[in-house]
């Protein structure tokens, strides 16, 4: 497990020490109150990581959306990484991946009734969600673990099973954006992308190595794949049919290795075509996609992620052959060790107890109680005087 997928560039460690000192100084300023963290009078749940690269933030935020949206008004606030716009934007029917970012666009497209907004300044974004009339019962902050200007009610830290932070090092030698001690700020730590066949001893080894405080909760999740969905007008294709296909796995995500590992046994042959995370495809990329797919033989198809599909669907120049053969593969998460109920109860209890409605009801009850005491005291005084 240790060192799995982890490469450390030891020659860059001196730069990592300098970077680490800068990050520690920033964190210390928050701890000392020089830099201020702001709390809000509504439930705020932050989901993020302290590593560069994908740890499964979007499927975990989507899990929280599904959990809460039935009974509460849910809003998602993201910075909208690599969007071609600035400031606060509340997503609507005209929003695109370019205007709000691919991940927020993906969530808005899947959950139309949920408010999705982007703002680099998260405090301003939270204020705007109330001012523009959304009035959410709970706000989910996407990729905000290090955005310490907001003090969330629940801080969720995601840790990739294949790159545990306890074995990693600071940038640029490793991929940590802050020292591993940053995990101590988390209320919940979730080890993501776990293999489904983990043994009890594996859980115990990770739990001991993570060395969490008693107040912190540790969970484990794994990836679940949905049914293939045509991006354009392709015919339906079942996942079990892939054994007869040569598959071009087209990705622009931080870590496609897990998908390669999971899908390879299910395909006749799998050929990865990878781009950088959040990559905006251009004419040269389109040509490469068309030519790579045209050169493949036999029954064939293209599989991509939901996030990549948001950037491919409006792309010009894709060949008709590509358009009729390209599918997105939805990803969800599943809790291991029968931890789902525990996690769900912890989240929903926090939201219900801290929602504005609960706060208002509590305040009304307190006011009634105070008023009742005043009236009672006044009645007793009047009665005493009359006697």
């Amino acid at each position: 497990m240790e060192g799995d997928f982890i490469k450390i560039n030891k020659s860059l460690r001196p730069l990592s020490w300098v970077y680490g000192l800068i990050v520690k100084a920033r964190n210390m300023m928050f701890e000392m109150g020089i830099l201020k963290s702001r709390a809000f009078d509504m439930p705020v749940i932050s989901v993020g990581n302290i590593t560069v690269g994908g740890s499964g933030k979007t499927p975990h935020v989507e899990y929280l959306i599904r959990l809460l949206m039935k009974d509460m008004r849910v809003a998602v606030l993201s910075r909208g990484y690599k969007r071609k716009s600035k400031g606060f934007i509340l997503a609507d029917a005209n929003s695109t991946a370019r205007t709000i970012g691919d991940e927020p666009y993906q969530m808005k497209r899947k959950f139309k009734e949920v408010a999705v907004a982007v703002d680099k300044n998260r405090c301003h974004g939270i204020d705007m969600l109330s001012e523009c009339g959304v009035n959410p019962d709970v706000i989910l902050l996407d990729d905000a673990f290090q955005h310490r200007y907001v003090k969330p009610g629940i801080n969720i830290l995601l840790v990739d099973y294949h790159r545990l932070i306890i074995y990693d090092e600071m940038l640029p030698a490793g991929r940590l954006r802050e020292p591993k001690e940053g995990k101590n700020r988390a209320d919940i730590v979730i080890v993501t992308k776990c293999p489904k066949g983990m043994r009890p001893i594996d859980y115990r080894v990770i739990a001991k190595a993570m060395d969490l405080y008693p107040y912190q909760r540790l969970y484990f999740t794994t990836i679940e794949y949905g049914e293939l969905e045509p991006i354009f007008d392709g015919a339906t294709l079942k996942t079990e049919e892939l054994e007869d296909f040569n598959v071009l796995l087209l990705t622009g995500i931080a870590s496609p290795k897990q998908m390669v590992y999971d899908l390879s046994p299910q395909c006749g042959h799998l050929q990865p075509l990878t781009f950088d995370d959040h990559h905006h495809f251009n004419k040269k990329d389109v040509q490469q996609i068309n030519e790579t797919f045209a050169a493949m033989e036999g029954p064939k198809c293209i599989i991509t992620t939901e996030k990549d599909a948001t950037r491919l669907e409006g792309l010009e120049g894709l060949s008709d052959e590509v358009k009729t053969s390209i599918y997105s593969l939805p990803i969800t998460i599943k809790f291991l060790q029968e931890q789902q109920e525990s996690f769900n109860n912890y989240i929903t209890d926090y939201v219900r107890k801290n929602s504005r409605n609960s706060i208002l009801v509590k305040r009304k009850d307190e006011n009634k109680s105070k008023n009742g005491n005043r009236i009672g005291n006044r009645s007793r005084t009047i009665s005493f005087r009359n006697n």
Side-chain angles (χ1 to χ4, degrees):
M1 185 184 305
E2 182 176 354
D4 188 14
F5 294 172
I6 297 181
K7 294 181 180 179
I8 304 298
N9 190 332
K10 296 181 180 180
S11 65
L12 295 177
R13 277 176 172 167
L15 294 177
S16 296
W17 295 333
V18 174
Y19 177 65
L21 288 174
I22 295 172
V23 176
K24 286 181 179 179
R26 176 180 182 268
N27 284 334
M28 187 176 296
M29 284 192 285
F30 276 105
E31 301 299 333
M32 296 174 64
I34 299 173
L35 295 177
K36 304 294 184 181
S37 296
R38 181 180 166 193
F40 292 83
D41 63 345
M42 70 178 77
V44 177
I45 301 174
S46 169
V47 180
N49 59 20
I50 59 173
T51 56
V52 174
S55 56
K57 291 186 296 294
T58 301
H60 283 79
V61 172
E62 290 182 351
Y63 180 92
L64 289 170
I65 292 174
R66 292 187 182 95
L67 173 65
L68 298 169
M69 64 183 291
K70 295 178 182 179
D71 303 314
M72 304 160 192
R73 290 191 302 273
V74 178
V76 178
L77 180 61
S78 171
R79 62 173 171 162
Y81 185 61
K82 285 198 173 182
R83 62 185 169 120
K84 303 299 181 180
S85 61
K86 294 182 179 180
F88 175 85
I89 296 178
L90 181 64
D92 57 23
N94 297 317
S95 299
T96 66
R98 294 182 68 85
T99 59
I100 63 173
D102 49 17
E103 291 165 341
Y105 177 69
Q106 172 185 321
M107 286 185 274
K108 183 60 181 178
R109 188 172 62 173
K110 293 172 72 172
F111 307 101
K112 293 180 174 58
E113 63 273 42
V114 170
V116 177
V118 293
D119 198 334
K120 185 177 181 180
N121 185 330
R122 307 300 174 85
C123 289
H124 178 260
I126 293 175
D127 289 334
M128 289 299 296
L129 281 169
S130 295
E131 291 180 18
C132 68
V134 175
N135 295 320
D137 296 316
V138 55
I139 293 178
L140 306 178
L141 295 183
D142 178 31
D143 194 15
F145 189 81
Q146 290 190 293
H147 191 90
R148 298 194 60 182
Y149 292 99
V150 174
K151 186 176 182 179
I154 293 181
N155 222 350
I156 300 177
L157 175 65
L158 305 182
V159 177
D160 189 337
Y161 170 88
H162 301 288
R163 195 174 184 101
L164 294 176
I165 58 175
I166 49 178
Y167 304 129
D168 211 341
E169 295 187 15
M170 292 288 295
L171 288 167
R175 291 172 63 181
L176 290 180
R177 294 188 288 184
E178 68 171 283
K180 61 193 72 175
E181 290 76 20
K183 66 182 173 62
N184 297 337
R185 298 198 308 274
D187 301 291
I188 292 175
V189 176
I190 301 178
V191 180
T192 68
K193 303 181 183 179
C194 296
K196 294 181 175 65
M198 284 181 64
R199 301 166 300 170
I201 185 64
D202 298 326
Y203 295 109
R204 292 195 292 270
V205 168
I206 294 177
K208 183 177 180 180
M210 289 297 294
D211 191 27
L212 300 181
Y213 286 105
Y215 64 83
Q216 295 178 295
R217 293 169 174 255
L218 179 62
Y219 296 93
F220 298 84
T221 62
T222 189
I223 290 175
E224 295 260 286
Y225 295 102
E227 287 297 326
L228 293 167
E229 299 175 356
I231 296 178
F232 299 100
D233 299 319
T236 58
L237 180 63
K238 298 292 184 181
T239 307
E240 55 266 24
E241 298 178 71
L242 290 177
E243 61 182 11
D244 299 322
F245 280 77
N246 294 322
V247 175
L248 179 65
L249 182 61
L250 172 60
T251 59
I253 58 177
S255 181
K257 293 180 180 178
Q258 186 69 46
M259 289 190 71
V260 173
Y261 178 82
D262 291 337
L263 292 179
S264 291
Q266 302 183 48
C267 307
H269 174 72
L270 187 140
Q271 178 179 340
L273 179 59
T274 59
F275 296 87
D276 292 336
D277 194 20
H278 300 277
H279 180 74
H280 285 288
F281 299 99
N282 55 37
K283 291 182 179 179
K284 185 178 179 180
D285 301 326
V286 171
Q287 182 179 357
Q288 183 181 5
I289 294 169
N290 289 340
E291 292 178 353
T292 303
F293 189 63
M296 295 174 61
E297 298 180 351
K300 57 185 179 179
C301 69
I302 302 175
I303 294 179
T304 190
T305 67
E306 288 182 293
K307 185 170 75 171
D308 292 310
T310 65
R311 286 174 275 115
L312 289 166
E313 62 183 11
L315 201 59
E316 296 181 357
L318 292 174
S319 68
D320 291 338
E321 183 184 30
V322 166
K323 286 187 174 182
T324 57
S325 306
I326 187 167
Y327 300 84
S328 67
L329 184 61
I331 291 178
T332 58
I333 61 104
K334 178 182 179 181
F335 282 86
L336 299 175
Q337 284 195 307
E338 299 182 350
Q339 293 180 318
Q340 179 173 332
E341 184 176 357
S342 169
F343 178 85
N344 291 356
N345 290 339
Y346 184 77
I347 296 295
T348 55
D349 287 349
Y350 158 73
V351 174
R352 289 194 181 102
K353 291 177 182 177
N354 294 276
S355 68
R356 282 176 168 172
N357 289 335
S358 297
I359 292 171
L360 289 174
V361 169
K362 184 177 179 181
R363 287 175 180 169
K364 286 180 180 178
D365 290 342
E366 289 175 348
N367 290 335
K368 286 181 180 179
S369 177
K370 290 178 181 178
N371 291 335
N373 289 336
R374 292 195 192 101
I375 293 171
N377 291 336
R378 186 182 303 168
S379 299
R380 284 192 292 272
T381 303
I382 293 172
S383 175
F384 176 79
R385 286 177 179 172
N386 287 341
N387 289 336

